[in-house]
Amino acid sequence: MTSTAKSENKNWVIWLIIFGLFGLSIYVLRSVLLPFVAGIIIGYLLDPLATRFEKLKIGRTASTFLVLFLVAIILIPAIIALIGMIDEQLSQFINSVPLYMQSLTKKIEPIIINLQDNIPGLSREKIREYLQGNMSNGLKLVGNVFKKLISSGYAIFNILSLLLITPVVAFYMLRDWDSFVKKVDSLLPKAYKKEIETQAKAIDKIISSFIRGQLSVCVILGSFYAIGLSLVGLDLGLLVGFIAGIISFIPYVGSIVGFVTAIAIAFAQFDTWVPIAQVVGVFAIGQFLEGNFITPKLVGDSVGLHPVWIMFALLAGGVLLGFLGLMMAVPLAAIIGVLVRYGIGKYKKSSLYRD
C-alpha cells in the first residue's frame, strides 16, 4: 500500500471518529438541545429573507430584528387565537359526547341485531351498554387529555421555556449566519474543499427546497382542511383539519389520520349522509390540490427525497431522539442521501466497479 493510500485511509478513520463523537454528543445532550436546534432551523429558514433586506441597504443586525419582528407579530396572535378556538371546540365536543353516543348507538343497532341473530347468547342491552359506556369514556378521556395539554401549567411552562431560548438562538444564528458559514468554509481541508462545497450546495438545495416548501404545504393544507371541516359543521373540525395539515409532512400519514378521525366524528355527529359526504369531499379536494398544484409548485420533484426514506428517517429520529429527532430527521436524511449518491458516483468511477 502506497503512502498516499495509507494517508487517505487514516483521514477516513479520523472523519469517522469525529462523526461518531458528534452523534454521541447529540444523543447524550438530547434533553437540552431542542431550543437550540429549533433556533438554528429558524435562522436557516429565515436567512434568505434577511439577505433580501440587506440588499435594500439595511444592516444585518437591523435586518435580523426586522425579520424576527415580522414573524412574531404574525405568529403570536395567530397561535393565541388558534389555542382559544381549539379550547372552545374541545369544551363543546366533551359536552356533546352523550348525544354522539345516542346517535352512534342508533346507527349500529342493525349490526347489534345481526350479531344477536348469529350469536344467540349475546344480550342486545349488554352490548349497547358496553359500547355506550366504553366509547363515551374513551371520547371524554381523549377530549380531556387534549384540553389539559393546552391549558396545563406544565405544558405552558415548557412552551414558555422553549420560547425564551429559541428566539435568542435564532437571532444570533440569523445575524451571524454568513460569518458562521465563512468560518466553517475556512476550516475545510484544502485537498477536498471543492468537493465538500459541491456536496454542501447539493445538500442546501435539497433541505431548503423540501423544508421551506413543505412548511408552506403544511400551512396551506392545515388552513384548507380546518376551514373546510368547520364550514361543514364538524365538531373539532378546526383541530382535526389543522393537525391533518401540519402532519402532512409525513407522506400519506396526515391525510389518512385526518380523514379517519373526521369520518369517525362525522358518523357519530350527523344523522344524514350529506355532511359525511361533504367531509369526504373536503379531503378529496385537498388531496387533489396537494398532489397536482400545491406540492409540485412549492416543493417540486427534484428534491431527491423518496417518501419511504422520509418516513423511515422520521420514525428512526422519533424513536432515538423524540421530538428533537423529528426536527433533525429530514435534514439528516438529505445529508445522508447526498453522501450516498456521492459515494455511488465515486464507486462507479473506481477500479473496483470498472474491473
Side-chain angles (χ1 to χ4, degrees), residues 4 8 67 100 122 137 178 213 234 263 267 303 320:
T4 304
E8 288 184 356
V67 169
Y100 292 160
L122 289 177
N137 291 333
D178 292 337
L234 184 74
I263 287 296
F267 188 73
V303 296
L320 292 174

Side-chain angles (χ1 to χ4, degrees), residues 34-296:
L34 180 59
F36 298 95
V37 173
I40 292 171
I41 293 175
I42 292 172
Y44 172 77
L45 293 176
L46 297 179
D47 177 64
L49 186 57
T51 302
R52 289 185 180 182
F53 283 124
E54 270 193 296
K55 292 179 180 179
L56 299 175
K57 306 301 181 182
I58 302 175
R60 184 69 185 190
T61 302
S63 299
T64 301
F65 272 115
L66 183 58
V67 169
L68 293 178
F69 175 74
L70 291 174
V71 171
I73 63 174
I74 293 172
L75 286 184
I76 292 177
I79 291 173
I80 292 174
L82 184 65
I83 290 175
M85 288 187 288
I86 290 174
D87 184 65
E88 182 181 354
Q89 285 201 351
L90 282 172
S91 299
Q92 293 176 355
F93 176 77
I94 293 171
N95 294 330
S96 301
V97 165
L99 296 176
Y100 292 160
M101 291 304 99
Q102 293 178 8
S103 174
L104 194 59
T105 303
K106 290 180 181 179
K107 291 174 183 177
I108 62 175
E109 188 80 22
I111 300 175
I112 296 175
I113 294 173
N114 187 40
L115 284 173
Q116 190 179 27
D117 292 339
N118 291 297
I119 308 175
L122 289 177
S123 170
R124 187 184 306 180
E125 292 300 324
K126 288 183 178 180
I127 295 175
R128 185 184 293 111
E129 289 175 4
Y130 175 81
L131 290 174
Q132 285 182 340
N134 284 276
M135 294 182 70
S136 178
N137 291 333
L139 288 173
K140 285 183 178 179
L141 177 63
V142 171
N144 285 322
V145 167
F146 273 115
K147 194 170 183 179
K148 287 180 180 178
L149 285 175
I150 291 174
S151 60
S152 69
Y154 182 71
I156 293 173
F157 174 78
N158 284 336
I159 293 173
L160 288 176
S161 63
L162 185 65
L163 291 178
L164 288 174
I165 299 174
T166 301
V168 177
V169 178
F171 171 78
Y172 284 109
M173 289 303 302
L174 187 57
R175 189 193 68 176
D176 302 328
W177 187 266
D178 292 337
S179 60
F180 175 75
V181 172
K182 289 179 181 178
K183 288 179 181 179
V184 173
D185 186 67
S186 66
L187 295 174
L188 297 177
K190 294 182 179 180
Y192 304 101
K193 187 173 182 178
K194 288 186 178 179
E195 287 187 83
I196 294 174
E197 287 178 344
T198 301
Q199 301 310 312
K201 289 179 181 178
I203 292 170
D204 177 65
K205 181 181 178 181
I206 291 176
I207 293 177
S208 61
S209 298
F210 185 85
I211 296 183
R212 292 190 180 103
Q214 196 62 53
L215 279 175
S216 302
V217 171
C218 290
V219 172
I220 293 172
L221 279 181
S223 302
F224 175 81
Y225 287 142
I227 294 171
L229 294 177
S230 298
L231 290 176
V232 169
L234 184 74
D235 288 343
L236 289 184
L238 184 70
L239 179 62
V240 173
F242 184 72
I243 291 176
I246 292 301
I247 63 174
S248 63
F249 69 93
I250 309 175
Y252 311 114
V253 172
S255 56
I256 293 173
V257 170
F259 178 76
V260 172
T261 305
I263 287 296
I265 296 174
F267 188 73
Q269 178 184 350
F270 301 116
D271 295 325
T272 63
W273 288 101
V274 174
I276 297 176
Q278 290 174 338
V279 170
V280 175
V282 168
F283 280 93
I285 294 172
Q287 285 301 293
F288 175 78
L289 293 175
E290 178 194 4
N292 293 278
F293 299 102
I294 302 174
T295 299

Side-chain angles (χ1 to χ4, degrees), residues 320-342:
L320 292 174
L321 300 173
F323 188 69
L324 176 66
L326 293 177
M327 294 180 65
M328 299 176 62
V330 172
L332 289 177
I335 293 171
I336 293 172
V338 169
L339 294 180
V340 167
R341 286 192 289 273
Y342 173 74

Side-chain angles (χ1 to χ4, degrees), residues 2-22:
T2 63
S3 59
T4 304
K6 289 181 179 179
S7 178
E8 288 184 356
N9 288 337
K10 185 179 179 180
N11 289 339
W12 275 109
V13 172
I14 292 173
W15 280 111
L16 287 174
I17 292 173
I18 291 173
F19 284 124
L21 291 174
F22 178 72

